[in-house]
Every structure is written in structure tokens, then in C-alpha cells.
Amino acid sequence: MSAQSYDTFILAFSDPASISPNPQRARIPANLSFEIFDDSHLRTLSTNNGGGDIEGLLYVPDLDPSDPCVNISTKYVPSNVTRFSDLPPVQYQYIAFAPWISAACTKSYLAAAQGNTAFMFYLPDNGNTTPPPVNDQTWNLNDGGQWKAQYKFPVYAIPGSEGTTTMQQLAQYSGNSSNDKIDSILSEFQFDSSDYVRLYTSFGTSGSNNLPTLWAFLLIVLGVVLLLIGLTSVTMHYFQRRHRRALQRRVENGEVDLETLGIKRSHRMPQAEIDKLPKYIYVPTNDTPDDKGLGQSSTPSSETASDNHTFFSQSSCTICLEDFIPKTTEVRSLPCHHIYHPHCIDPHLASRSSRCPVCMARVLPTKNEPITNAMVRAERRLRERQRLHGVSADGIDGTTWLTNFRRQLERRRRVFSAPGATSDTVQPTRSQIEMNAVAGRAVSSPLPTHTPTVMSGAQTEARTGEGRPPPADVTARRAHMNRRLSRMRGPERTLEDEEAERWARLPRWRRAVGTVFPGFG
Amino acid sequence: MAQKRIVKEYSELQKNPPLGMKISLPSEADMHQWQILIDGPKGSPYEGGVFTLQLSLPTEYPFKPPTLSFKTKIYHPNVTNDDKGSMCLGMLRADEWKPSSKIDAVLGFARRLLSEPQPDDAVEGGIAREFKENKKEFIKNAKAWTKQYAKK
Ligand SMILES: [Zn+2]
Ligand SMILES: [Zn+2]
């Protein structure tokens, strides 16, 4: 096991051999004795370990007297240093300690280690720097690294200066009470005079040093992942925007009619667009309502000019059913000339539909409606389907056409028999119009070209001449085909409904993915 | 806004109740749940029966349509034959609903539906088929159910 820190200190403990009633051990504070704690200069040379704490009493192994290393070592190892025989033979773990002088002597020391938990070396000339890395030549024992497998304990190396100090201390705390220092410690901590005071070393295998590097690594990995996600997201957003713009261009050029494709049936309006709709002070029509509606009476000559008043026959707001108060109530007029309280119609336009609640006429010019990703998808889907079904301007076969015709007839019948479709209609029979906006906005020609009529989606379709055979000229044919396609789409539902439903069905994580990676799935 | 309009519509309907209908609130505190009692229209197989309907007004009313359901079991192609008794067609459908439509119209619609079922928009396919192909049998069944479930 690799270690990041070690702590060598003085430990006083009862003699395990004695029959003391309550054996004790005490860590002697550094100010009374000695301690080295280092969490930044430890080098792990070999990691063999079955697990558990790596700690124990420190000693220098006894070399064979005939070993030349004994002589070589005398320079570093004092004669009265703590030996294995100076330690109690039971109850404790042991950590061997020796200078790394040469390959041969290290081998001797390793071989002489007894009952080992670990071996701690130091390079006497290494100063106070971290010993060289594991693969450095310094640690070469000329056996191809085999020694690491041979000795089943971890091997560590500490800086030279720390090793030298430790060696000196190991000589001081080796014997029994013949030593003043040991004597005073034993008596101060109320030990028996025959008890031990020795160096004890403990390695920190899960030291704090390791975590930062691990965290840093994880953070880097996380950062890279986030960066990749971000880049992908940006790219996907970019492409989605390009698709939206492309579709927008095609809509503007008249190549695609989203309306007939059934892609946009209702849409929300941006507040800015709503604010552009004119507001007037309500004034009721004061002459008799004209049955023929707008057609005749709204000619400029019959208008009564007044600065900020508008005359309307619609006397109440169809949303809240409240009556408008003449010359007091402010009303918002939609392009279809239906009027509402701004506080009633604005939220509707902003959050539900950009169509007039009464006549369902679109409030926003088609061109100005924003293109959404969903529209791009739907348009592509329709084009795809068009390709698969082989529907082309020429490929209209009689049977489908007949089926459509029949369905159309049926639809029309249903619409006309459906009560309510026309009963709740409020037609603005505007007899007098004055179009000076309250906001002082110039309003373009107020002249409607035809009476706004109630038209449900089905009726609109019924009016589009579906019952006739495909027209001959190309643009009409294309429109015809688009209508056919819109029929293939199935039941009348707005894209927003579909999108909202689809979205609601998705689990939360899929929604998140969809937001980050638009167009994914 | 919804609340104000609902109260207004309710009081108008109390003043001028539609023919053959009784409108009440099961709970005075909740203006969004109405109880409607409809007499089966004359000449229809439902004649002689009284049908209890529940009208629920969504918080988004009038921007979203009310929902109408039969609490009394009824043999009708446009009403589900379960304990919900729900119906969803015509002006009650979200995409056909218009905020300017009033509850008065909704109730009229429901009443007319009793006289003229719309088998093409059916929720009960079997009943719709019977209505189209075997009117006699349909009338017989509808009458039997009316007798059994919608007795006065
Ligand atoms: Zn209003
Ligand atoms: Zn309108």
C-alpha cells in the first residue's frame, strides 16, 4: 500500500512480559521528547501489504557480523541504536529502519528484517528533499526489481535529514532506565521503571496528500465531459437555428405554406407584437346597426372623425362578458376588428393562441410568427411522409382523391349541423370607424375587404375547394397537394398541443436532454 | 377574471334557465363545479328521464373549454359508457372551443345532442353502429336505459 505521510514519535508502554494489572501505553508529546511528521516527502518504494495499519516500533536490523556492511554502516548507525532485541518480542508490530547505502547493504538489511510490518529507508545524502522516484536508478538492487516481490512488506524512503535525526533518536531511546531521558519520561507518566520508551512509526496510507490529486483528476475528467457536452449542445443549437432560419426563408419566399401543412394553427404572440395592436377608447355605434355590416358603412366618407374615439357595435368583451363603458373603457382591437379589454385579450394572445377568440382569425401575420424547432421537425416529417407516400403533384390517384372528397363532405355536414359553431358568434358590424389609436400609432387602412366570418378549421378546409379535381397550374397544384398532405396528418390538433403533450410524457431527464441537445430524438 | 365571468354566467342562467334544465352548485364554495339536471327532450328516446350532468370549469376558463359529463348512465353514442360518462366533441373539444362561447351554448349543445346523436363522432362505437344500422334497436335500448337509470 502506498503511503503519503508518516509519523515517528516516542511511545512509552508497559512491558508486555510483566504481569502488570493494567498495561498502558502513552504517546509522549513532542515537546518532551521528539517527533517527525512529514506528509509531503515520503516515497513509497514497494507497496506489498495485506492491508491494515502500517505502524510499529522502530528498530535497525542486526546484520551478520561478517557482513562488510556492518562496517560501512557504522558511519550512519550508532552502536547503541534500538535493535530488535531491545523491543518486546510480543504484542507489537515492528518497522525496520536503515540507511540506504548501497545495493548490497540494502539487500543485507532487507534480509535481516525480523517480524516486519514495513521497512523504512533513508538516503543519508538526500538532504531534506523527497527521495527520488521509484523507477530511479538509486533504488536498483541489480535484480530487476525482484526484491519487491521477495519481501512481503511495504518499503518506504524518507528524506536523508529526517533519517539521520531518526537514527540519532533511535540511539537515545533504546536501552532501559540507565538513560536519564527514558527515566524521567517513565516517572512522569507513571510507568514502571522496567517499562519501555521507544520510537514508534505510523504510515498514513490514506493521507490527505492523495485526495487532492484524485479530486483534481476527477475534476479534470468532469471538466472535459462538461466541455464536450457544452460543445455538442452549442453545435446542436447552432444547427437547429440554421434549420429554423432556412425554414423561415422558405416561408418568406412562399416555397412552404406552414398553415396548409397544418404545422401552425395557433401560436403564442410575443409581448412586443401584442403591444403593437392598437388600443382605442370605446364608443358605441350611435346610428342603427347596419345589417350589411362593414362592407358599406365603413367607407371613409361615413366615418365620424374624432381624435381618440372609435365606434364599435360590439358592446361587451366576449372574454369577461363585461360591457364596455362608453368613452371610458380602453379596448384593444385585433386586425379582425373584434375588440376586448386589453387585460382580457393580452394574456390570451401571449400564452395561448395568436388567434381572435371570437372569429379565430390570426392576429399575427404568418410571416412574423416565430419558427420553432418543433415546426422544423414537423415540416421535415411531413416532407418525409410526402416522399414515402409518393405523393407528388402528378401522382394523385382517383381513389384517394375520392375518399378525401367523401370525408370532406362528411366533415362539412358535421360542421354545419354542429350547434354552437355559429350560435356564439359576435360579428362586428362596425358602422363607424375611426382609427386614430390611443397610443398615437398610425394605423393602416381600416377598410376590411370582407366581413369577418366565423370559420372553424374544418370550414376553412371545406372552403378550399377540396371537392374539385386537382387544378392544372403548378402553384395551385402545389397548394392542392399541401392540403392533401394536411389531411394525411390526421385529426385537427395544433402542433403546440402535440409538442406539449409529447414533452409532458417524457421523463424529466429526457426533457433536460432535449433542452441541452435540441433535435436529439 | 374566470371567477367573475363564471359568476356572471351562473346568475344569468339562474335568471333565465334554459328550457328543461335545472342548474345548481353542489357546493356554494366552488363555482367551478356545476350540477345540471336535464329533462330528456321530447320525441327522443330519453323523454321522461332526468339526467344529471356535471359541468366542470377549468381554472383557465374561458380560454379552455368546460368539461361535461353524465352522472346518470345513458345509452348514447357520444357519451362513454363508464362511470365517468364523459363526452368530448364539437365545441367541447379544446381545439374547437372559443373563449367567446358561453355555458348557455354548451348546455344547449348537450341538449341538442340528446335529440340528435352524432354517430360519426362517437365514443361508443357499438352504440353508434346500432344507431346508424338498426335505429329501432337503438331506440329500444336507449328507452330501456332511460327507464332504468334516469327515472324521475
Ligand atoms: Zn374583458
Ligand atoms: Zn375576431
Side-chain angles (χ1 to χ4, degrees):
Chain A
M1 203 182 293
S2 153
Q4 288 72 43
S5 69
Y6 82 99
D7 189 9
T8 297
F9 54 90
I10 304 298
L11 186 75
F13 53 96
S14 309
D15 181 2
S18 79
I19 34 164
S20 162
N22 46 343
Q24 26 169 348
R25 42 190 300 185
R27 179 184 174 142
I28 310 304
N31 58 351
L32 294 179
S33 55
F34 142 87
E35 182 184 359
I36 294 178
F37 174 79
D38 195 330
D39 62 358
S40 49
H41 301 102
L42 184 67
R43 181 71 69 193
T44 302
L45 300 180
S46 164
T47 55
N48 296 308
N49 187 253
D53 293 336
I54 299 168
E55 57 181 13
L57 295 165
L58 214 57
Y59 74 100
V60 177
D62 293 300
L63 298 182
D64 189 290
S66 61
D67 193 322
C69 291
V70 176
N71 267 334
I72 304 171
S73 294
T74 45
K75 189 177 157 197
Y76 311 103
V77 184
S79 58
N80 59 345
V81 84
T82 308
R83 299 290 177 173
F84 196 70
S85 55
D86 297 322
L87 301 175
V90 289
Q91 212 180 9
Y92 282 91
Q93 293 185 325
Y94 310 94
I95 289 174
F97 179 63
W100 187 293
I101 310 164
S102 66
C105 291
T106 297
K107 277 179 173 171
S108 297
Y109 274 119
L110 284 168
Q114 286 169 279
N116 254 33
T117 302
F119 210 122
M120 183 163 84
F121 281 104
Y122 69 103
L123 289 171
D125 305 322
N126 171 237
N128 53 8
T129 59
T130 308
V134 190
N135 50 7
D136 193 274
Q137 268 306 306
T138 315
W139 315 116
N140 187 4
L141 295 188
N142 308 317
D143 63 351
Q146 229 183 343
W147 63 273
K148 294 181 187 175
Q150 189 183 346
Y151 298 104
K152 304 288 182 201
F153 45 77
V155 179
Y156 304 104
I158 59 173
S161 56
E162 290 175 9
T164 306
T165 312
T166 305
M167 195 56 91
Q168 285 162 6
Q169 296 295 327
L170 206 53
Q172 288 213 28
Y173 298 94
S174 60
N176 285 338
S177 47
S178 56
N179 178 315
D180 283 351
K181 223 167 185 172
I182 295 180
D183 259 354
S184 63
I185 287 174
L186 284 176
S187 60
E188 187 168 345
F189 289 86
Q190 295 168 345
F191 278 89
D192 224 55
S193 60
S194 64
D195 287 343
Y196 291 86
V197 179
R198 297 289 183 271
L199 268 71
Y200 195 89
T201 298
S202 156
F203 292 93
T205 47
S206 55
S208 56
N209 218 10
N210 200 23
L211 274 178
T213 40
L214 186 68
W215 278 111
F217 175 73
L218 286 177
L219 279 177
I220 289 168
V221 170
L222 193 72
V224 169
V225 168
L226 282 178
L227 188 75
L228 286 177
I229 290 177
L231 279 176
T232 317
S233 174
V234 165
T235 315
M236 289 178 94
H237 274 285
Y238 170 74
F239 278 108
Q240 291 286 328
R241 202 175 72 170
R242 263 185 47 169
H243 289 149
R244 286 200 303 272
R245 293 227 168 127
L247 186 59
Q248 179 89 53
R249 259 197 310 279
R250 286 167 58 212
V251 168
E252 280 167 18
N253 296 343
E255 290 167 41
V256 194
D257 185 354
L258 293 175
E259 181 64 14
T260 52
L261 283 176
I263 286 180
K264 301 193 287 187
R265 287 197 54 239
S266 80
H267 212 285
R268 283 142 210 202
M269 256 176 100
Q271 188 59 45
E273 293 289 332
I274 296 173
D275 291 337
K276 285 184 198 162
L277 297 169
K279 282 200 242 178
Y280 307 101
I281 298 295
Y282 170 76
V283 172
T285 337
N286 37 19
D287 54 357
T288 48
D290 186 345
D291 295 343
K292 303 227 169 56
L294 303 158
Q296 289 184 347
S297 55
S298 60
T299 51
S301 55
S302 71
E303 276 177 26
T304 312
S306 109
D307 274 324
N308 45 11
H309 292 152
T310 304
F311 300 92
F312 288 103
S313 64
Q314 195 185 322
S315 65
S316 64
C317 170
T318 53
I319 292 175
C320 65
L321 305 181
E322 299 290 330
D323 289 336
F324 298 127
I325 303 161
K327 298 189 180 175
T328 307
T329 311
E330 194 182 34
V331 296
R332 169 92 74 201
S333 172
L334 303 192
C336 57
H337 306 302
H338 283 118
I339 53 174
Y340 304 90
H341 293 119
H343 65 257
C344 290
I345 190 67
D346 290 6
H348 171 73
L349 296 174
S351 62
R352 286 163 217 286
S353 158
S354 65
R355 286 170 180 276
C356 170
V358 170
C359 67
M360 292 296 168
R362 9 180 81 255
V363 173
L364 205 60
T366 317
K367 231 179 89 173
N368 296 3
E369 283 196 6
I371 303 279
T372 64
N373 288 342
M375 287 180 193
V376 173
R377 265 202 301 281
E379 198 265 343
R380 196 185 302 157
R381 223 165 29 225
L382 281 166
R383 244 189 306 149
E384 196 71 4
R385 216 185 309 180
Q386 176 178 357
R387 204 173 51 77
L388 287 176
H389 287 234
V391 178
S392 69
D394 312 315
I396 295 166
D397 70 276
T399 19
T400 19
W401 175 77
L402 200 69
T403 328
N404 275 331
F405 179 51
R406 212 176 279 148
R407 202 180 307 155
Q408 201 48 49
L409 273 182
E410 226 166 58
R411 222 180 227 289
R412 197 188 310 202
R413 207 176 48 225
R414 217 182 308 152
V415 166
F416 286 152
S417 65
T422 48
S423 64
D424 58 332
T425 307
V426 181
Q427 287 203 6
T429 49
R430 260 160 32 104
S431 49
Q432 296 182 331
I433 313 162
E434 214 305 298
M435 278 296 177
N436 286 341
V438 170
R441 280 177 36 84
V443 176
S444 55
S445 166
L447 297 179
T449 47
H450 59 84
T451 314
T453 46
V454 181
M455 243 191 273
S456 70
Q459 273 174 307
T460 316
E461 276 175 33
R463 281 163 42 105
T464 49
E466 203 50 38
R468 289 190 295 276
D473 88 289
V474 179
T475 39
R477 250 195 203 171
R478 188 191 281 152
H480 176 86
M481 188 184 71
N482 281 342
R483 282 192 298 274
R484 284 200 63 219
L485 271 172
S486 81
R487 200 120 317 111
M488 285 163 63
R489 201 167 34 85
E492 296 283 341
R493 287 164 41 71
T494 71
L495 188 63
E496 274 176 339
D497 291 341
E498 273 168 33
E499 231 6 67
E501 263 171 41
R502 194 180 73 93
W503 204 241
R505 271 199 309 272
L506 293 176
R508 187 168 295 180
W509 70 270
R510 277 289 283 111
R511 282 183 239 175
V513 170
T515 312
V516 178
F517 303 122
F520 173 79
Chain B
M1 183 171 66
Q3 189 72 12
K4 223 170 145 189
R5 168 164 167 168
I6 292 170
V7 171
K8 196 177 167 96
E9 288 200 62
Y10 184 77
S11 50
E12 268 173 19
L13 285 167
Q14 286 300 336
K15 245 183 275 165
N16 271 323
L19 192 72
M21 286 195 210
K22 281 196 193 73
I23 298 160
S24 60
L25 295 178
S27 155
E28 289 287 330
D30 188 1
M31 285 301 296
H32 291 262
Q33 302 295 335
W34 295 17
Q35 195 190 58
I36 323 282
L37 297 177
I38 299 189
D39 296 337
K42 278 211 171 72
S44 76
Y46 310 105
E47 187 179 343
V50 178
F51 297 87
T52 308
L53 281 84
Q54 188 184 340
L55 181 92
S56 304
L57 297 154
T59 45
E60 293 96 336
Y61 182 81
F63 296 109
K64 288 206 172 155
T67 54
L68 200 53
S69 54
F70 275 80
K71 295 289 119 187
T72 308
K73 251 173 119 64
I74 182 167
Y75 194 82
H76 194 289
N78 303 108
V79 181
T80 58
N81 195 357
D82 55 11
D83 53 351
K84 289 201 187 79
S86 44
M87 49 190 291
C88 181
L89 74 161
M91 66 188 298
L92 289 173
R93 285 169 44 146
D95 50 350
E96 290 196 19
W97 171 256
K98 280 185 275 170
S100 53
S101 310
K102 289 162 75 174
I103 296 169
D104 188 27
V106 171
L107 298 178
F109 171 72
R111 200 176 143 83
R112 239 169 322 208
L113 204 62
L114 290 183
S115 311
E116 307 159 21
Q118 296 184 21
D120 292 337
D121 255 334
V123 284
E124 291 295 336
I127 302 179
R129 219 171 303 124
E130 192 182 74
F131 180 84
K132 282 204 259 190
E133 290 159 12
N134 193 348
K135 197 74 152 259
K136 250 187 196 163
E137 187 66 21
F138 167 79
I139 292 174
K140 204 185 93 190
N141 285 329
K143 275 187 175 165
W145 280 42
T146 306
K147 216 169 188 182
Q148 190 179 346
Y149 300 110
K151 258 211 184 135
K152 274 194 190 177

